[in-house]
Amino acid sequence: TSAHLAHELRTPVAELRAVSDVALQSPDDLVGLRQAVGECRDIAVGMQILISTLLALARSPAPEALVQDQVYLAEVVRRLWYSFDTRARERGLEWILQTGEPLPPVVVQAEALRAVLSNLFDNACSHARRGTRAECRLESGAFGTRVVVRNAVDGLLPADLARLGEPFWRADRAHSDREHFGLGLALARECAAAAGLELDFRLEEGWLV
């Protein structure tokens, strides 16, 4: 939907503005300007891929209709997880990643996977109780491969789990949050379903998993 697209484009648009603002502060630094142009191009390419993927998901949600890629999951998880490191420190969070032993590549629609993971990590970073910790680990076994994300939460009830992922739904404590609109997990659910991924939420003694 247009709401989902707007939600996903907030971060790269903010990055474009930040890079260009820094570059404009030193207009005579040609090396810095070239670097800024390169960064802007990389961000724009990522936005283009994201838009194409979301349009493909909207038009043809069947998993078999999406182009599959070989993905090294640990590399994707590591890159995305640490992209939230600065925000996590600002909130006083321990931001812990455990990738374990090297895993073979998985076959999946790469951009849909990234959209799922990015939104799960954003949710953990944004809604973990301040001063606690958030964890991510990779597991592999007879069940296949999975990414497990855990963060301490307040005010979330077992009955709320069924509503996680409903567009624009937020727990009562989050209604005053003007930066998040209840779209991230909704998009994560849609992308997971479209790419044939399983997405599951549960509460464990005050932790959202």
Side-chain angles (χ1 to χ4, degrees):
T1 67
S2 58
H4 287 157
L5 185 59
H7 173 82
E8 284 301 288
L9 290 178
R10 285 186 314 154
T11 297
V13 167
E15 291 175 351
L16 282 174
R17 180 169 181 176
V19 170
S20 58
D21 283 346
V22 170
L24 289 172
Q25 291 175 6
S26 304
D28 297 327
D29 180 3
L30 295 182
V31 174
L33 287 175
R34 290 192 186 98
Q35 182 178 351
V37 170
E39 291 180 14
C40 287
R41 182 187 182 280
D42 290 342
I43 295 170
V45 169
M47 292 170 68
Q48 185 178 30
I49 293 171
L50 173 63
I51 291 169
S52 297
T53 299
L54 291 178
L55 288 175
L57 292 173
R59 293 169 179 167
S60 186
E64 60 273 14
L66 299 174
V67 177
Q68 305 289 295
D69 310 282
Q70 272 203 342
V71 174
Y72 285 92
L73 189 58
E75 294 179 10
V76 174
V77 168
R78 187 179 296 109
R79 189 179 307 114
L80 290 173
W81 183 257
Y82 286 122
S83 71
F84 291 93
D85 191 59
T86 299
R87 273 179 52 196
R89 287 200 304 269
E90 290 173 352
R91 301 195 70 244
L93 300 175
E94 289 186 74
W95 197 240
I96 302 169
L97 174 63
Q98 298 175 339
T99 55
E101 296 296 322
L103 299 174
V106 295
V107 178
V108 66
Q109 209 293 322
E111 287 306 316
L113 172 67
R114 290 188 183 96
V116 173
L117 293 176
S118 180
N119 279 289
L120 291 178
F121 298 167
D122 177 75
N123 186 75
C125 188
S126 300
H127 299 296
R129 189 167 63 248
R130 285 183 178 272
T132 58
R133 71 181 189 271
E135 306 168 349
C136 176
R137 68 176 185 271
L138 300 186
E139 297 179 349
S140 184
F143 51 79
T145 303
R146 63 189 176 199
V147 182
V148 181
V149 183
R150 302 175 73 246
N151 62 273
V153 292
D154 288 321
L156 196 65
L157 304 174
D160 295 330
L161 294 179
R163 303 202 65 187
L164 287 179
E166 287 184 13
F168 303 106
W169 183 85
R170 292 175 293 170
D172 288 342
R173 66 181 179 82
H175 284 170
S176 60
D177 183 353
R178 296 186 178 184
E179 294 185 2
H180 299 88
F181 302 95
L183 288 171
L185 293 184
L187 180 60
R189 278 196 184 276
E190 289 188 12
C191 287
L197 304 171
E198 295 183 13
L199 182 59
D200 174 66
F201 297 99
R202 64 181 184 271
L203 279 175
E204 293 180 352
E205 298 180 349
W207 289 74
L208 176 62
V209 183

